[in-house]
Amino acid sequence: MSLNTRLLFALLGFPLLVYAMMSVLLMIQSETAQRDALKQRLQDAGELLAPSFQVAMAEANSERLERLSRQLLDHHGLNAVSLFDEQGNRLLVLGRSTKLSPRLSPPLSTQVEEDDTIWRLLVPLSSAQFDIRRNGTGWLEAEVNTHPLTLERYKLLASLSLGGMLLGLLLFLGAFAISRYISRPIEEANQALYRLSRGDYRLYLTPARPSELNQLAVHVNSLTEHFQQSQRDMQTQIEQATSELQESMETIEEQNIKLDLAHRSALRANAVKSEFLANMSHEIRTPLNGIIGFCRLLGRSTLDNRQKEWLEHVHRACNNLLMLVNDVLDFSKLEANRLTLEEVDIDIVPLLDEVIGLHAPEAQRKRLHLVTMVYDDVPTPLSGDPLRIHQVLSNLIGNALKFTHEGEVIVRVMLDNQEGQHVVLRISISDTGIGLSEEHQQQLFSAFSQAEPSHSRQFGGSGLGLTICRQLIERMGGEISVESELGQGTTFSFTLPLLANQSGERLPELNLESPLIRLYEPHIPTRHALEYLLERWGAIPMVFSAKGEEDLLILGLEQEEFEAAKRHEWQQLIEQAGCPALILANTTSFDLPPWELPHGGEMLCKPFTRVQLATTLRHLLQPVQKKLTPPQARALKPPIASAIHILIVDDNASNRELLKAMLETEQIRITLASSGQEALAFALNHTADIVLMDIRMPGMDGVQTSQALRRISNRWSRCPIVAVTAHALSNERQQWLAAGLDDVLIKPIDETQLQQLLQRFLDITAYLPASTQATSQESSLSSPTSEALPAVDLALGTRLAGGKKHLAYEQLIRLIDNLDETEKEIHAAYARKDVEALLDWVHGLNGASRYCGAPELALLVETLETRLRTSGLSHVESLLEALYSAMARLRTQRSMLARGANAQE
């Protein structure tokens, strides 16, 4: 509040407040006096005229009563005068009375009844003293209006208000003059100080009359002179400093030019390095994919045990080298800030199961316990980047298995925090490996570094994995930490912020009707996980020492317990149990000895997934199997009414027919579609239990068709769709899974792959036709004349065709008949330098050759497709020439294959 305002309030407000209080007191006193005077006047008039009224009433003189009443009415400003006898009868009324309810008894004395606007005067009248014979009483009632009092009050209020306004005006003029006299010098001083703060030192204040204000003006003028002098001194110093700074700037400018040149040179070197890493990674992966392809095809040929062992070593070395190249490429992308994250729906349990499945062979080889625990409060689905989460989990679990020689590796996924749609998961990977010292923990996440220099030679790896994990987790908004003690194991933990737009509580994978399950599992974490899952699914787990009428026996056995003596004891226990048995073996499927399960049962190799365990329990605890003998249970097949419906979408007719021949049984119905549009037309009126989808098709490709199917209805949105393709790079596989497909199968697909596929997605065991061995006659047709791969291998073709010899002949003949058109289109596409068209035709040929016994053509076309996808048209001319030669050699076999096909018929 300013000084002027305060002065105005002080000089104006206080007198007006005193005046207002006095006015209020005056109005209250005046109103009280007027009311008392009116009341007294009424009482005096009534008492004065009462005797005259009493005499008139005694004499019953109505004229006199009327004259007296009119005298009272006219001379005293009354509204009405009424006379009542002793019975309350109204004798006389003059004026306008407002009384509604008459009084029934006379008043005892003269009194005035006060109302809001009407006062009533009541006067008792007695005639006893005048006429003894007519003794009686009556009373006089007079009404008066109090509006004159209210009018007088308003007049007084108006007079006082007018006086207050005049007083306020006079006070305001006086206060304004006084405040201006006092505040004007202060405002001038304030303005002078403001101009001084802005650098204007030319203003001088004139002295004022009051001594205090005069001293203020003198001091402000002194401050102005001081600032002027300081400005002159500072200007001199600035000129001197500017001269010195000019010399320094010239020197710094020369240094900046040199630094800029060095910075540009460093940027060019970094760009060259990043480009070199990317190019080298692609160039190295190209021959690596070719080598891996050769290893796969070589593995299909006839090899002795020693050659298979050498081939496994080559394949493992190629995979390790490919992993190293991928790490270098990812590190280069992160360093160049060119890595993008996706936001798609993911389920952490299947994602973790997929990672565990990739590392299961290593855990089985080292006989380690690999256990996963996903807590039930983790919601699903969540939104994130499944490829990068998969990469982080795979790297951390791989490291844990690499540096652990005995014991366990446990993966825990729990809910750390949830606020609305924002969820933070905490994932930890604990092992019982060699551990880390505090010094090694500090440098663990640095690039190209490992705990010990010898670790890269002993365990392998480039030292980039943890660096990439840290950067990926930080890109996703999380943090990673490590806790370890040398020789006591290591625990890696990281937080993972995700979105939960439409997530909910995870539903149980299985609902059982309280079966009793006797459990033996020496590994404590695995036993606790099994007991919790069994209870969650509705089963009642029993300790192994308890004996009762159990419905299922679960045995967790180590490799040592498969020896003859111990295995005999377990075999006796299984025979005496009288119920199905489930053996959970901590070893590979190749090392499992034959077990006799007289009451039914199955065997699972650790680590197993939730879906595998739930499917196995559902199969073993089916009520229909409990009532049948084991031979009857094994011979049981699902009825025709509950047939499985499979939709196959592929633009290649031979691929469609082969898949149909491999899958179609009495329990499986097949529908074929040659394009995405045809599949959509079918889906509008029908449904399927699973879809096998070719990826590369003209018009709508497999990904677009799958997304369109998902949008048709809720049933189709939940239908499993599996990509079936002849070629897929690792990044393409992840892109397809992120786009909504459920799995990816690489051609050629054998019966085992199809069996696992149907069991995984439909929880059934399909009755696929068994493979048959190729005859010596077929093998003689395919025996190569040199060490190179043969043009035709009918034994391989028969195996790929599900053991159907006639189908193997038909596939080869159909392939040969289409070679002319394919070669013509490949020629034309290469001549136009049309990479997309060339890739489409090569991919189609690759898919067709995957189901045929043409190993030479299959190897060449797979290598060519890999080269096209990684390097484009460069360095493919030699491969094309080799491909044309392989086509020519395959054409020469057509007549022989036709005779063989006729013989089969």
Side-chain angles (χ1 to χ4, degrees):
M1 187 180 293
S2 65
L3 180 60
N4 282 335
T5 305
R6 293 181 182 181
L7 285 173
L8 288 174
F9 274 118
L11 297 176
L12 183 62
F14 182 72
L16 289 178
L17 180 62
V18 172
Y19 178 80
M21 293 175 62
M22 293 177 63
S23 299
V24 171
L25 292 175
L26 180 61
M27 288 185 64
I28 294 174
Q29 184 180 5
S30 175
E31 183 179 4
T32 303
Q34 290 178 359
R35 293 173 69 91
D36 292 341
L38 177 61
K39 184 176 181 180
Q40 186 64 37
R41 183 165 58 86
L42 291 174
Q43 290 179 348
D44 292 343
E47 291 177 353
L48 182 61
L49 295 177
S52 300
F53 276 105
Q54 291 174 355
V55 172
M57 287 185 68
E59 295 177 354
N61 190 346
S62 58
E63 294 180 358
R64 187 177 181 183
L65 287 174
E66 183 178 356
R67 185 176 64 252
L68 290 174
S69 299
R70 191 171 299 279
Q71 180 182 357
L72 181 62
L73 181 66
D74 294 338
H75 290 84
H76 296 280
L78 301 178
N79 291 346
V81 175
S82 302
L83 291 175
F84 298 90
D85 59 11
E86 63 273 9
Q87 287 81 21
N89 298 320
R90 194 185 302 270
L91 302 177
L92 178 66
V93 177
L94 291 180
R96 191 172 181 179
S97 177
T98 60
K99 186 175 181 182
L100 299 178
S101 58
R103 189 181 181 89
L104 300 179
S105 62
L108 299 178
S109 61
T110 302
Q111 60 184 5
V112 177
E113 292 182 352
E114 298 180 7
D115 203 351
D116 292 337
T117 58
I118 302 297
W119 287 8
R120 293 179 176 85
L121 173 64
L122 303 175
V123 180
L125 303 176
S126 175
S127 62
Q129 55 181 331
F130 300 103
D131 189 356
I132 299 177
R133 291 173 302 174
R134 296 183 63 187
N135 188 12
T137 60
W139 70 91
L140 170 69
E141 182 175 314
E143 295 181 6
V144 62
N145 197 331
T146 60
H147 283 289
L149 296 179
T150 305
L151 183 60
E152 291 295 330
R153 183 169 66 249
Y154 287 156
K155 288 180 180 180
L156 180 60
L157 177 61
S159 300
L160 293 175
S161 300
L162 182 59
M165 291 176 61
L166 294 175
L167 178 62
L169 179 61
L170 293 175
L171 290 174
F172 175 77
L173 293 176
F176 182 76
I178 295 172
S179 64
R180 292 300 298 168
Y181 177 75
I182 296 174
S183 63
R184 183 181 296 276
I186 298 176
E187 291 178 357
E188 292 177 355
N190 185 29
Q191 182 66 21
L193 291 175
Y194 175 77
R195 293 177 66 177
L196 287 177
S197 67
R198 295 294 180 179
D200 185 3
Y201 308 133
R202 296 171 297 176
L203 179 65
Y204 284 89
L205 296 179
T206 57
R209 290 183 181 179
S211 59
E212 294 84 357
L213 299 177
N214 188 21
Q215 291 178 2
L216 177 61
V218 171
H219 290 317
V220 170
N221 292 335
S222 300
L223 182 62
T224 302
E225 294 176 357
H226 175 71
F227 279 163
Q228 289 178 349
Q229 184 62 37
S230 299
Q231 186 182 31
R232 289 190 292 268
D233 295 341
M234 184 175 62
Q235 186 65 30
T236 303
Q237 295 176 2
I238 289 175
E239 291 176 357
Q240 183 179 357
T242 302
S243 177
E244 296 175 356
L245 183 61
Q246 187 68 27
E247 297 177 0
S248 300
M249 287 295 294
E250 293 176 358
T251 305
I252 294 174
E253 187 175 359
E254 294 178 0
Q255 296 294 331
N256 284 339
I257 293 174
K258 295 179 181 179
L259 289 175
D260 184 60
L261 293 175
H263 177 66
R264 293 181 181 180
S265 177
L267 289 178
R268 285 194 298 270
N270 187 50
V272 171
K273 181 206 71 173
S274 299
E275 185 177 358
F276 172 76
L277 285 176
N279 292 335
M280 287 304 298
S281 299
H282 284 298
E283 290 299 326
I284 294 174
R285 286 198 298 183
T286 299
L288 270 179
N289 287 323
I291 295 173
I292 293 174
F294 275 108
C295 290
R296 290 176 179 173
L297 290 176
L298 190 58
R300 301 172 189 167
S301 60
T302 304
L303 300 174
D304 57 29
N305 294 333
R306 192 174 185 183
Q307 290 171 334
K308 288 182 179 179
E309 183 179 357
W310 290 348
L311 185 61
E312 289 177 0
H313 286 298
V314 173
H315 201 181
R316 189 180 301 112
C318 290
N319 287 331
N320 292 335
L321 184 56
L322 187 60
M323 186 184 304
L324 174 61
V325 172
N326 289 332
D327 286 344
V328 172
L329 186 59
D330 286 339
F331 182 74
S332 177
K333 288 181 179 179
L334 288 168
E335 198 175 42
N337 197 21
R338 293 184 178 179
L339 190 69
T340 57
L341 299 177
E342 295 182 347
E343 289 290 339
V344 297
D345 288 343
I346 56 175
D347 189 347
I348 200 67
V349 171
L351 181 63
L352 186 58
D353 287 343
E354 183 179 351
V355 178
I356 295 301
L358 293 176
H359 294 278
E362 180 66 15
Q364 294 168 352
R365 185 182 66 85
K366 302 178 77 171
R367 299 181 185 177
L368 300 176
H369 291 277
L370 181 55
V371 185
T372 61
M373 300 180 183
V374 180
Y375 288 49
D376 290 338
D377 57 355
V378 176
T380 184
L382 299 172
S383 181
D385 191 333
L387 174 61
R388 299 307 171 187
I389 299 174
H390 185 287
Q391 186 175 357
V392 171
L393 288 172
S394 181
N395 197 299
L396 294 177
I397 295 174
N399 281 345
L401 293 173
K402 183 191 301 183
F403 296 105
T404 303
H405 302 292
E406 60 181 9
E408 64 192 22
V409 175
I410 301 178
V411 184
R412 295 180 175 87
V413 182
M414 61 196 77
L415 181 64
D416 189 61
N417 187 25
Q418 183 172 6
E419 295 181 359
Q421 297 181 353
H422 297 276
V423 172
V424 179
L425 300 184
R426 177 168 294 277
I427 303 177
S428 64
I429 296 93
S430 305
D431 62 63
T432 56
I434 60 178
L436 296 167
S437 63
E438 293 184 2
E439 179 183 358
H440 294 151
Q441 293 178 34
Q442 295 177 358
Q443 62 182 6
L444 189 63
F445 294 103
S446 301
F448 303 102
S449 66
Q450 292 187 346
E452 295 287 350
S454 60
H455 285 176
S456 61
R457 296 188 299 271
Q458 181 180 358
F459 299 102
S462 62
L464 284 176
L466 291 178
T467 303
I468 294 173
C469 288
R470 177 180 61 82
Q471 295 188 22
L472 287 175
I473 291 172
E474 290 177 353
R475 288 287 183 89
M476 291 185 286
E479 297 178 352
I480 188 171
S481 60
V482 58
E483 296 178 2
S484 181
E485 185 177 349
L486 197 61
Q488 300 297 322
T490 306
T491 299
F492 283 91
S493 301
F494 65 93
T495 57
L496 190 62
L498 299 171
L499 291 177
N501 296 326
Q502 298 178 349
S503 61
E505 184 179 356
R506 183 179 304 279
L507 299 177
E509 293 83 358
L510 186 63
N511 292 314
L512 301 175
E513 297 180 359
S514 303
L516 295 176
I517 299 180
R518 189 178 175 191
L519 175 63
Y520 171 78
E521 176 54 66
H523 186 242
I524 297 177
T526 304
R527 184 173 70 248
H528 289 168
L530 286 173
E531 289 176 347
Y532 177 78
L533 284 177
L534 292 175
E535 292 176 354
R536 174 176 169 80
W537 293 341
I540 302 176
M542 304 166 50
V543 296
F544 187 70
S545 58
K547 294 184 179 180
E549 297 295 331
E550 63 268 14
D551 298 302
L552 180 65
L553 178 65
I554 298 180
L555 303 176
L557 304 181
E558 300 292 332
Q559 177 70 26
E560 295 79 8
E561 295 176 287
F562 293 153
E563 298 177 358
K566 294 184 178 180
R567 185 162 62 89
H568 180 67
E569 296 178 2
W570 290 114
Q571 186 68 51
Q572 289 182 341
L573 177 65
I574 293 173
E575 293 175 356
Q576 296 171 0
C579 64
L582 173 61
I583 298 177
L584 306 177
N586 191 23
T587 183
T588 63
S589 59
F590 300 103
D591 297 331
L592 286 176
W595 287 80
E596 293 183 5
L597 303 175
H599 307 290
E602 291 189 17
M603 301 182 68
L604 289 179
C605 294
K606 299 179 182 178
F608 48 84
T609 65
R610 279 195 187 189
V611 175
Q612 289 177 326
L613 182 61
T615 303
T616 304
L617 291 179
R618 184 185 295 110
H619 175 68
L620 294 178
L621 295 174
Q622 285 178 350
V624 66
Q625 289 188 347
K626 294 181 181 179
K627 300 177 183 179
L628 299 176
T629 60
Q632 291 172 325
R634 286 193 293 269
L636 186 66
K637 294 186 179 182
I640 300 301
S642 59
I644 303 302
H645 193 180
I646 299 178
L647 173 62
I648 299 175
V649 186
D650 198 315
D651 61 326
N652 190 291
S654 59
N655 293 347
R656 295 195 304 270
E657 294 298 332
L658 180 59
L659 281 174
K660 179 180 180 181
M662 296 175 66
L663 286 168
E664 191 171 28
T665 63
E666 294 180 355
Q667 292 77 32
I668 298 178
R669 292 190 297 111
I670 305 296
T671 299
L672 302 179
S674 60
S675 64
Q677 291 83 355
E678 187 174 341
L680 291 177
F682 167 80
L684 291 175
N685 301 314
H686 305 84
T687 59
D689 296 298
I690 191 170
V691 180
L692 302 182
M693 179 71 67
D694 185 26
I695 291 297
R696 291 176 178 86
M697 297 183 295
M700 295 180 64
D701 60 18
V703 175
Q704 295 172 342
T705 305
S706 300
Q707 293 173 346
L709 288 173
R710 299 287 192 205
R711 294 191 294 266
I712 291 178
S713 64
N714 292 333
R715 176 69 181 273
W716 278 106
S717 65
R718 297 189 299 267
C719 178
I721 301 179
V722 180
V724 181
T725 183
H727 189 281
L729 300 176
S730 59
N731 60 336
E732 291 178 328
R733 174 188 175 90
Q734 296 301 329
Q735 291 174 1
W736 298 337
L737 294 177
L741 281 86
D742 297 282
D743 203 347
V744 178
L745 293 181
I746 304 300
K747 302 174 184 178
I749 302 171
D750 56 18
E751 304 93 322
T752 304
Q753 289 178 295
L754 294 176
Q755 182 84 14
Q756 294 173 352
L757 181 73
L758 298 179
Q759 184 175 1
R760 174 185 174 188
F761 288 106
L762 303 178
D763 295 336
I764 65 166
T765 300
Y767 300 91
L768 302 179
S771 300
T772 58
Q773 301 294 329
T775 62
S776 58
Q777 177 186 1
E778 294 160 346
S779 300
S780 64
L781 289 173
S782 61
S783 57
T785 58
S786 63
E787 295 181 357
L789 290 175
V792 175
D793 188 343
L794 287 176
L796 174 62
T798 304
R799 188 164 63 251
L800 294 176
K804 300 176 181 179
K805 301 176 185 179
H806 69 282
L807 188 58
Y809 281 102
E810 292 176 1
Q811 289 291 106
L812 278 170
I813 293 174
R814 190 180 292 113
L815 174 64
I816 294 173
D817 292 340
N818 293 327
L819 287 180
D820 292 337
E821 181 185 3
T822 303
E823 184 176 357
K824 178 181 177 181
E825 294 294 339
I826 291 176
H827 266 297
Y830 182 72
R832 297 192 308 269
K833 303 299 181 183
D834 189 348
V835 180
E836 293 297 329
L838 180 59
L839 189 58
D840 288 340
W841 282 100
V842 170
H843 176 76
L845 182 60
N846 191 5
S849 61
R850 285 300 182 96
Y851 291 114
C852 301
E856 181 186 22
L857 181 65
L859 177 60
L860 287 172
V861 75
E862 181 180 11
T863 306
L864 177 59
E865 183 173 359
T866 302
R867 180 70 59 82
L868 286 172
R869 293 190 180 280
T870 55
S871 303
L873 292 175
S874 58
H875 311 296
V876 299
E877 186 174 0
S878 59
L879 286 176
L880 286 174
E881 295 298 330
L883 180 64
Y884 299 149
S885 301
M887 289 181 178
R889 284 191 292 272
L890 191 58
R891 289 190 190 96
T892 61
Q893 302 288 334
R894 194 196 184 289
S895 58
M896 184 182 302
L897 292 172
R899 291 194 298 270
N902 294 330
Q904 289 296 323
E905 294 178 356

